[in-house]
Structure formats: structure tokens, C-alpha cells
């Protein structure tokens, strides 16, 4: 829409209509005159239509009487203006008040305690529901478990194998550089086997699963919470804990160990290729690998993978179900799910390593 505003000296003649399309130039003129404190007469004789942007402009003009004088306003516009602005009050802009250090710490502590309380309550509910479905298998939804497993597991095999392979290559190169000095390159195989089966296989798989599927769980349930689908399920007599959470807990507890096996194998293959560069034959690598790793090492890694999968799904579902209102809340829940999952993965892995060391496992 063309802007037919006329500006001459200390007078501004408004156009026939003021809308969001043509009000930007008028706002610039009004604000510039306010800043320079130049007295200006605003002629509204030609103005017959205003949208919210135009009414806001007239409101600004009317309440700056020391600088502006509004004249010749038409009855139609005046009546609309009075109806739309009768409950508005002009006043100085309030500056944003920032909380002090003590107030910020108190708010953070209160929020943290509230989050911990919600997490503990959710964990208790999930644990009770898990034990319930163990003794009541009919409550399990196999189709949902297979669907979640396929989405979060099958599509993740490629990236898990790639990361596992690269971890095996990196470990082999780094350890071999030192072992070569002492003429003990063959013992690099021991490090590759133990590291991939006990630690890096399950750990890297869990971190990838948290970023890929744990966030998806939080986003899915968070979106359902925002769109009130969870309330609809409750209204229909379907408990979200059994209908949505338990299938994801079971699927994650199954998928993460399976993916960990792929990561272990890929890492060992990657290490074997590097060992070939140090004149370690396939037979030597295989014999040394079988001597270095035991069934206990593999079972220990897989047991941790089961725990990792359960915890990741638990945190993802908890963050999703406790999502606030609005689309931004879904993003916050997703971010929180990934961060909390990774932190708990590292904590659990550290505790497991300490216990294994003390117990001689």
C-alpha cells in the first residue's frame, strides 16, 4: 500500500489509512520528533481507517501533548479509538528488574528441589509399573515395543557401528604408539578387547542413544502433553505410564545391549585393522584377543548397557511428561533429557567401574 503521508515543517498530515504495512515510516517520524522535542501538529482529517498499529500510533501521539497536537480527527476514527483504548494507561516504560545473587540462588535451589521431587516420584511410579507388568504380562504391548525398538534401534545400527569402529581405531593407534617403544605391541590387543567390551562399547552406544532416541522420547511425549493427548488418554481410562512409558523402557533396555554388541564388534575390527599395520597377523590378533577378554567382561558391559537403556528411556519419558505449556517447552524438555541422560550415564559408568575394581569383577 502506498504511503501518502505529507510532512511539511512542523506539520504531519496522516494518510487515509494506517495499517501494519505503511505505519513503519510514520513511527520513525514520530519517534524522531519525540527525540528532538520538536513540536508538531498531526492532521488526521484524511484518516478513515486504522488497525492496531494505527491505533497504537494515535495513542502515542495523544499522550505526548508537550510535543504533538492531534487535530481534525474524524468521528469514525475517534469513536474506534475511544473503544479500543478506554482501558489503556500511558506511563513511563518500566525497566526490567533483575534478581539479586541471593534471589537467583534461591530460585535455582527451589527449582532444583522441585525437579528432584518430580524425578523421584516418576522413578517410583515407573519402578512399580515395571514390577507390575512382570507379574502381569498381559499389560505389555508387544506391537508398541517392536515399533519403538525398530525406530530407535534398527535405524541407529549404522552410526553405532561407525562410532565403534572409529573408537577401536583410535584406541589401537594411541596405545600402539607407547607399546611400540617397549616392544609390546601385541598387548595392545588386550587393551582393545577390554576397553571395547567393558567400557567404550556400552558407553558410546548409550551416549548416542541418549542423543538420538532419548531426545525423541522427550519430544514425542512433550508434544502429546502440549496438545493434551495425555489428558485424553487419561479420560479414556488409559494410564500413560502403562500405555506410553513402559513400552519405551522395555524397548530401550533391549535395544541398547544389542547395539552395544555391534559397537564392540566394530571396535574390535577397527583395532584389528590397525594392528595389521604393526605386523600383527589375524591369527595372532585372534589368539591374543581370546586370551584377554572373558565372558565376565562381555556380561559386565552388557549389564551396564541394560541399565543405560532403562535410565535413558526413563529420563526421556520423565522430561516429556513433565513438559510445560507452549512449543518452546518441548525444546527445553528435549534438551534437558539429553543433558540429564549423559550426566547419569557417566555417573553410573563411574560407579560401576569403582564397584568392579573393589569387587574384583
Amino acid at each position: 500500500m502506498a504511503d501518502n503521508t505529507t510532512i511539511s515543517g512542523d506539520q504531519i498530515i496522516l494518510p487515509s489509512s494506517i495499517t501494519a504495512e505503511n505505519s513503519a515510516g510514520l513511527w520513525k517520524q514520530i519517534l524522531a520528533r519525540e527525540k528532538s522535542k520538536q513540536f508538531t501538529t498531526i492532521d488526521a482529517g484524511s484518516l478513515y481507517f486504522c488497525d492496531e498499529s494505527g491505533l497504537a500510533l494515535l495513542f502515542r501521539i495523544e499522550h505526548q501533548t508537550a510535543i504533538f497536537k492531534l487535530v481534525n480527527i474524524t468521528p469514525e476514527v475517534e469513536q474506534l479509538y475511544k473503544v479500543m483504548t478506554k482501558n489503556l494507561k500511558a506511563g513511563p516504560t518500566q525497566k526490567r528488574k533483575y534478581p539479586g545473587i541471593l534471589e537467583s540462588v534461591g530460585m535455582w535451589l527451589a527449582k532444583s528441589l522441585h525437579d528432584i521431587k518430580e524425578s523421584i516420584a516418576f522413578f517410583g511410579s515407573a519402578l512399580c509399573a515395571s514390577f507390575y507388568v512382570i507379574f502381569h504380562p498381559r499389560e505389555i504391548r508387544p506391537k508398541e515395543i517392536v515399533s519403538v525398538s525398530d525406530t530407535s534401534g534398527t535405524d541407529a545400527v549404522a552410526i553405532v557401528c561407525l562410532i565403534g569402529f572409529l573408537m577401536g581405531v583410535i584406541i589401537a593407534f594411541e596405545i600402539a604408539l607407547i607399546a611400540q617403544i617397549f616392544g609390546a605391541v601385541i598387548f595392545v590387543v588386550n587393551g582393545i578387547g577390554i576397553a571395547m567390551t567393558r567400557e567404550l562399547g556400552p558407553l558410546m552406544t548409550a551416549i548416542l542413544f541418549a542423543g538420538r532416541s532419548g531426545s525423541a522420547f522427550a519430544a514425542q511425549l512433550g508434544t502429546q502433553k502440549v496438545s493434551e493427548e495425555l489428558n485424553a488418554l487419561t479420560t479414556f481410562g488409559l494410564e500413560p505410564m502403562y500405555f506410553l512409558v513402559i513400552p519405551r523402557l522395555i524397548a530401550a533396555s533391549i535395544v541398547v545391549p544389542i547395539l552395544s554388541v555391534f559397537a564392540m564388534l566394530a571396535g574390535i575390527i577397527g583395532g584389528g585393522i590397525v594392528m595389521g599395520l604393526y605386523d600383527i597377523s589375524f591369527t595372532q590378533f585372534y589368539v591374543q584377543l581370546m586370551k584377554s577378554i572373558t565372558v565376565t567382561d562381555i556380561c559386565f558391559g552388557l549389564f551396564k548397557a541394560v541399565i543405560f537403556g532403562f535410565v535413558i528411556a526413563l529420563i526421556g519419558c520423565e522430561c516429556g511428561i513433565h513438559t510445560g505449556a507452549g512449543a518452546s517447552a518441548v525444546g527445553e524438555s528435549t534438551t534437558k533429557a539429553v543433558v540429564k541422560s549423559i550426566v547419569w550415564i557417566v555417573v553410573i559408568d563411574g560407579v560401576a567401574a569403582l564397584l568392579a575394581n573393589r569387587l574384583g569383577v
Side-chain angles (χ1 to χ4, degrees):
M1 182 181 294
D3 183 3
N4 56 351
T5 306
T6 303
I7 302 174
S8 60
D10 59 352
Q11 184 181 32
I12 297 177
I13 300 176
L14 299 179
S16 59
S17 66
I18 302 177
T19 65
E21 296 181 12
N22 67 344
S23 62
L26 283 170
W27 273 105
K28 289 180 181 178
Q29 290 294 328
I30 295 300
L31 294 176
R33 304 253 174 162
E34 280 186 15
K35 188 175 181 180
S36 63
K37 299 187 182 300
Q38 179 183 356
F39 184 80
T40 305
T41 300
I42 310 294
D43 189 348
S46 302
L47 181 63
Y48 290 97
F49 177 79
C50 279
D51 65 359
E52 291 85 350
S53 177
L55 293 173
L57 182 66
L58 294 179
F59 187 80
R60 184 65 171 260
I61 292 170
E62 186 188 21
H63 289 85
Q64 293 287 347
T65 54
I67 302 173
F68 301 114
K69 182 180 180 182
L70 184 64
V71 298
N72 299 332
I73 188 169
T74 59
E76 297 85 354
V77 175
E78 184 177 15
Q79 182 179 3
L80 176 64
Y81 175 80
K82 288 181 179 179
V83 171
M84 298 298 293
T85 62
K86 62 181 179 180
N87 295 324
L88 297 179
K89 293 182 180 180
T93 304
Q94 297 293 329
K95 292 184 178 180
R96 182 177 178 181
K97 183 180 178 182
Y98 292 94
I101 296 176
L102 291 177
E103 187 177 356
S104 299
V105 172
M107 292 170 60
W108 173 82
L109 186 60
K111 185 177 183 303
S112 299
L113 292 175
H114 177 72
D115 291 344
I116 291 172
K117 180 182 177 182
E118 283 190 338
S119 298
I120 293 174
F122 187 84
F123 175 74
S125 300
L127 208 59
C128 292
S130 300
F131 280 114
Y132 179 82
V133 297
I134 290 174
F135 296 104
H136 300 81
R138 291 183 179 179
E139 295 290 336
I140 298 176
R141 302 172 60 220
K143 291 184 178 179
E144 180 71 13
I145 294 173
V146 172
S147 175
V148 174
S149 300
D150 181 55
T151 303
S152 60
T154 306
D155 298 338
V157 172
I159 185 65
V160 167
C161 289
L162 175 62
I163 296 300
F165 178 82
L166 294 177
M167 292 305 300
V169 170
I170 292 169
I171 293 170
F173 269 123
E174 294 297 330
I175 301 177
L177 290 175
I178 304 300
Q180 191 177 29
I181 299 173
F182 301 97
V185 177
I186 189 65
F187 293 106
V188 175
V189 180
N190 299 50
I192 297 170
I194 294 174
M196 292 307 302
T197 54
R198 291 179 67 95
E199 291 295 332
L200 291 179
L203 183 63
M204 296 307 298
T205 300
I207 292 175
L208 287 171
F209 191 83
R212 188 182 181 279
S213 300
S215 59
F217 294 164
Q220 290 166 1
L221 297 186
T223 303
Q224 290 178 318
K225 174 70 177 295
V226 171
S227 61
E228 298 187 358
E229 291 181 36
L230 298 184
N231 294 336
L233 287 176
T234 305
T235 302
F236 291 143
L238 299 173
E239 178 62 40
M241 178 63 70
Y242 293 98
F243 193 78
L244 297 173
V245 177
I246 292 299
R248 285 168 170 77
L249 293 178
I250 296 174
S253 300
I254 296 171
V255 167
V256 175
I258 296 174
L259 291 176
S260 297
V261 173
F262 284 102
M264 294 175 190
L265 293 175
I268 291 172
I269 292 172
I273 293 174
V274 174
M275 287 295 94
L277 301 178
Y278 287 89
D279 297 326
I280 303 296
S281 66
F282 173 77
T283 304
Q284 289 176 302
F285 181 84
Y286 177 78
V287 172
Q288 190 67 22
L289 182 67
M290 292 298 101
K291 289 180 181 178
S292 62
I293 62 174
T294 63
V295 177
T296 303
D297 296 325
I298 298 173
C299 291
F300 181 71
L302 295 179
F303 177 73
K304 286 198 302 182
V306 173
I307 297 176
F308 289 157
F310 185 87
V311 170
I312 292 168
L314 185 69
I315 293 174
C317 293
E318 187 258 331
C319 291
I321 286 181
H322 291 154
T323 299
S328 62
V330 178
E332 293 174 3
S333 297
T334 304
T335 303
K336 187 188 297 183
V338 175
V339 173
K340 287 178 67 174
S341 296
I342 293 175
V343 169
W344 276 106
I345 287 168
V346 175
V347 169
I348 293 171
D349 189 65
V351 172
L354 179 61
L355 292 175
N357 180 266
R358 293 296 182 183
L359 298 175
V361 178

